[in-house]
Amino acid sequence: MTKLRFFSLSLLLLVYSNELIAQSINLELKAETESKTKTIDSVGYKYNFDNYKSLEVELQSLKKKLTRRGYIDAFIENINKKNDTVFTAKFFLGKKVKSIRIYYDSSFKTKFLNLIDHTTGNGFFELEINQLENSLDKLNSLIAEQGDPFSTLQLINISKLNSDLISAELKIVNNQKRRIDKIIVKGYEKFPQSFVKRFLKLRTGKSFNLNDIKEKVELLEDLRFASKIKDPEVLFTKDSTTLYIYVEKIRTNNFDGFLGFGTNENTNKIEFDGYLDLRLINNLNFGETLNLFYKSDEIDQQTFLVDADLPYLFGSPIGLQIGLKIFRKDSTFLNANQYAKLNYQINAQHRIGFGISSTNSTNLLENDTATLNDYKSNYYTVNYNYSKPQFYDPLFPINFWFDLSSGFGDRDNNFGKQNQNVFNLDTYKIFNLNNKNSIYTRLNGAVLTSDDYLDNELFRFGGINSIRGFEENSLVANLYGLINTEYRYRLSNSIYVHSVIDAAYFENQLTNSKEKLFGFGFGLGLLTNAGLFRLNYSSGKTENRQFKLSDSKVHVSLTATF
């Protein structure tokens, strides 16, 4: 009989407790004055709870919030049960402290204070109390970046100096400083290690600094053959630090060509011209670039170029660029230019180079003349290059390009040796007005300084990659400058239309001529699965000649990426 009664009593208690759990309770808060009650309300707190324990947790959390705001004397005076569903709590806030004075010892680096709002004294600094937590977090982050990611800051010996000011001592709890022991690339395991060390400037043995590492990994977006998959991660063990970088390989080989046609001024017949530009990037996983270029135009000129750019030779910061360029002008002359250059990559965007260049020219006519004969020239060259990418834009991947080069040397032929200098500039910039509208501006020019000139050493320009509306390489000069402009409008992420407004000026001392040129037209760009398709229609005129539709040029090109 006793056992049965005990069981029934337990069952009643269980039912009663379940009803209490299911019933929510509310909280009412008050302070010593009405204005301070409003202060508590402005901080914000929860009103409804499932049980009394969660209510107590909320009150302790509220007390911490008030302490951070300067009410360091705040405490809970009492908690009373108003009825079955309402509890009232009374807070005492006291007078608000406005500032805290923090003393530090010689182990603290005062340069960190430059990054927080404070006032400085002899061996201490003062902060507004509501800025204390954020300021200490920032200081702790700066200390952690020095190679101690597990360091902590503590305030000890806290005391009140007056009603508005408290003081404390800053204690830095240091752990063992961390250095990068191992770097592992995931996703693209054959990513060239020389780029990790030289381009990203990440090395084992360096102090661990997570913010610095993240900034360096962002430089992957400056590479054409790789990109970041996600932020780097770090594995800490008792005695080692392993850095994981997540990279993916990008297809960057491209094939570029165009077909152009126009009417020959002398024969009134349609003539065709075109070129082939093949670029192979990072196929051997060394970050190398191999170029093969061939062009044949309508005035019986052929250009052949092969070039190799090998960065970070043997893991060093020095790269090598070598190449051969052959240019043939119908049956008049043949130029063969060889060059070699050592490049130093200052950082992801800046590069300088020093090298040598040699040209052998052969007169293909039967007799030499004063302006056309065999010669050999040698130059010492200096080059500077700057490139700024435009992230996540397959139509226009480069926003700013600047390339300046110069050569100092001489030319030697049957008439003697002649000192010469050559200067080249090629730069362009895209000004993005908004998501759909942009302006493209390019400036290109070159000058050859010499006491006398040969026809087979002068610059040849004109065409789709120069001043549009003129035949390829039909303009000959010892000095020229040109500007290309386009107003571009995006119809979608893969289609754009643009204007063509070009202007140029050139001088040819052999013919004693100086002339201004203009090119006008329009174009279309279309990004397809095969690559970037471009179509340009342009017409050129000289300063003293009007436009003729018969002189117009239509250029079609396709840049395929594979």
Side-chain angles (χ1 to χ4, degrees), residues 348-367:
Q349 297 177 335
H350 300 269
R351 185 170 77 165
I352 57 175
F354 304 91
I356 56 175
S357 174
S358 176
T359 300
N360 284 286
S361 181
T362 303
N363 177 16
L364 302 179
L365 300 178
E366 294 182 359
N367 299 315

Side-chain angles (χ1 to χ4, degrees), residues 399-412:
N399 178 269
F400 183 35
W401 171 271
F402 181 89
D403 190 88
L404 177 65
S405 62
S406 60
F408 309 93
D410 57 63
R411 180 200 68 212
D412 191 11

Side-chain angles (χ1 to χ4, degrees), residues 73 107 138 152 178 201 203 311 365 372 419 426 445 469 474:
D73 295 324
S107 64
K138 185 172 289 186
T152 58
R178 292 280 180 165
K201 299 187 184 301
R203 301 180 180 88
L365 300 178
L372 180 63
N419 291 329
D426 187 20
S474 61

Side-chain angles (χ1 to χ4, degrees), residues 499-513:
S499 63
V500 173
I501 303 177
D502 295 345
Y505 171 80
F506 77 90
E507 296 180 2
N508 187 334
Q509 292 195 14
L510 283 181
T511 59
N512 196 26
S513 59

Side-chain angles (χ1 to χ4, degrees), residues 222-366:
D222 289 348
L223 292 177
R224 298 185 61 183
F225 60 85
S227 68
K228 181 187 73 172
I229 299 175
K230 63 178 182 177
D231 287 337
E233 295 178 342
V234 185
L235 175 63
F236 295 107
T237 61
K238 183 178 179 180
D239 54 1
S240 68
T241 302
T242 303
L243 173 64
Y244 289 88
I245 304 174
Y246 298 91
V247 185
E248 66 175 344
K249 187 174 184 179
I250 298 176
R251 295 184 305 165
T252 51
N253 298 323
N254 62 70
F255 168 85
D256 187 10
F258 83 87
L259 175 67
F261 55 91
T263 303
N264 186 289
E265 296 180 0
N266 298 320
T267 64
N268 288 324
K269 294 181 178 180
I270 294 179
E271 294 183 339
F272 295 88
D273 61 279
Y275 80 91
L276 164 70
D277 189 358
L278 176 64
R279 178 170 297 182
L280 304 176
I281 301 176
N282 193 45
N283 287 269
L284 303 177
N285 296 309
F286 290 111
E288 79 289 345
T289 300
L290 302 175
N291 293 321
L292 177 63
F293 178 85
Y294 175 77
K295 178 166 67 175
S296 176
D297 52 50
E298 65 264 38
I299 54 175
D300 198 16
Q301 296 179 136
Q302 292 86 37
T303 303
F304 174 79
L305 170 68
V306 59
D307 177 275
D309 191 352
L310 311 173
Y312 306 123
L313 287 177
F314 309 109
S316 73
I318 304 299
L320 174 65
Q321 184 176 0
I322 55 176
L324 170 66
K325 179 180 180 181
I326 300 175
F327 176 78
R328 180 187 178 97
K329 169 64 175 172
D330 50 56
S331 59
T332 308
F333 65 87
L334 174 69
N335 289 350
N337 172 248
Q338 304 173 71
Y339 55 89
K341 182 169 61 173
L342 294 177
N343 294 315
Y344 178 77
Q345 192 84 35
I346 301 173
N347 55 38
Q349 297 177 335
H350 300 269
R351 185 170 77 165
I352 57 175
F354 304 91
I356 56 175
S357 174
S358 176
T359 300
N360 284 286
S361 181
T362 303
N363 177 16
L364 302 179
L365 300 178
E366 294 182 359

Side-chain angles (χ1 to χ4, degrees), residues 46-105:
K46 289 177 61 178
Y47 296 90
N48 301 313
F49 305 92
D50 293 332
N51 52 58
Y52 183 77
K53 184 175 181 181
S54 60
L55 182 146
E56 284 185 318
V57 171
E58 179 65 18
L59 289 174
Q60 293 300 323
S61 174
L62 179 59
K63 180 178 178 297
K64 291 181 180 178
K65 292 179 182 178
L66 292 168
T67 301
R68 294 191 189 104
R69 296 197 174 199
Y71 296 97
I72 63 171
D73 295 324
F75 66 91
I76 304 169
E77 287 189 280
N78 55 64
I79 305 173
N80 295 319
K81 184 177 180 181
K82 187 174 182 179
N83 53 49
D84 290 342
T85 60
V86 179
F87 284 82
T88 61
K90 186 174 181 181
F91 264 86
F92 176 81
L93 269 62
K95 185 173 177 59
K96 181 179 179 179
V97 173
K98 295 181 179 179
S99 303
I100 180 171
R101 178 177 294 175
I102 301 176
Y103 291 88
Y104 54 84
D105 58 25

